[in-house]
Amino acid sequence: MEVTKTAKDAVQKVEEKVENGLGVIKDSFNNLASHLPFANLAKKSSDTFVIEVDLPGVKKEDIDIKVEDDYLTVTAVRKFKNELKEDDYYLCESDYGLISRSFALSDNIDRDSIGAKFENGRLTITLDKVASKKVKNITVG
C-alpha cells in the first residue's frame, strides 16, 4: 500500500506537535525547578531535625513559613533590584519572583516547637520530636 503525500504531511505535522509539546513541558519543568530553592535535611540528634533552605537575595521580611496539615511550606519573594533594567543585561540568570518549597512532616514532629533562623541567605528550620516520641534513657538502679 502506497502512502500518499497528504498522509506523510499529516504524520509530519503530528510529530512536530509532539516535539513542540515536549519542548513546552521541558521549559515548564525548568521554570518550576528554578523557583524551587535548594534544601538540605539533616538529623542533628536523635530528637532534632534541621532543614536548611538556600534563599540568596531574599530579605528576612519576605519569608513566610506555614504549617498546614502535614506540610511545612516555605514561601519567599526575591524582588528585582530597583536599578535593574532589561537593557543592562545581555544574560540574566538570576531568578526573581515567588519561591516556594514544601516538606512533609511526620506525626512525630512537634508542630508547636518549630523554630526558624535566617542568616546570610540561608534559612535554618529546627524540628523537634514530640515529647512522647523522644528517646528516653533509663538509668538502672
Side-chain angles (χ1 to χ4, degrees), residues 37-42 50-54 103 122-125:
F38 291 112
N40 304 313
L41 176 62
V50 174
I51 299 173
E52 299 170 332
V53 183
D54 290 337
F103 304 91
R122 177 165 283 184
L123 176 66
T124 303
I125 301 169

Side-chain angles (χ1 to χ4, degrees), residues 114-125:
I114 296 173
K117 180 176 78 170
F118 185 66
E119 188 175 4
N120 296 327
R122 177 165 283 184
L123 176 66
T124 303
I125 301 169

Side-chain angles (χ1 to χ4, degrees), residues 34-50:
S34 72
H35 289 83
L36 289 175
F38 291 112
N40 304 313
L41 176 62
K43 187 173 184 179
K44 201 169 186 182
S45 69
S46 61
D47 297 329
T48 304
F49 299 92
V50 174

Side-chain angles (χ1 to χ4, degrees), residues 2 32 61 76 114 119:
E2 186 176 314
L32 175 66
E61 58 268 16
I114 296 173
E119 188 175 4

Side-chain angles (χ1 to χ4, degrees), residues 16-84:
E16 287 173 5
K17 286 183 179 182
V18 168
E19 287 176 9
N20 289 340
L22 291 174
V24 168
I25 291 170
K26 180 182 173 191
D27 289 344
S28 297
F29 279 123
N30 287 339
N31 186 41
L32 175 66
S34 72
H35 289 83
L36 289 175
F38 291 112
N40 304 313
L41 176 62
K43 187 173 184 179
K44 201 169 186 182
S45 69
S46 61
D47 297 329
T48 304
F49 299 92
V50 174
I51 299 173
E52 299 170 332
V53 183
D54 290 337
L55 297 171
V58 172
K59 293 180 181 176
K60 182 178 180 177
E61 58 268 16
D62 294 329
I63 300 171
D64 182 46
I65 304 169
K66 184 185 306 182
V67 175
E68 188 173 356
D69 297 325
D70 291 331
Y71 291 93
L72 180 138
T73 301
V74 176
T75 306
V77 177
R78 186 177 299 128
K79 297 179 180 175
F80 282 103
K81 296 178 183 174
N82 289 336
E83 70 274 6
L84 179 68

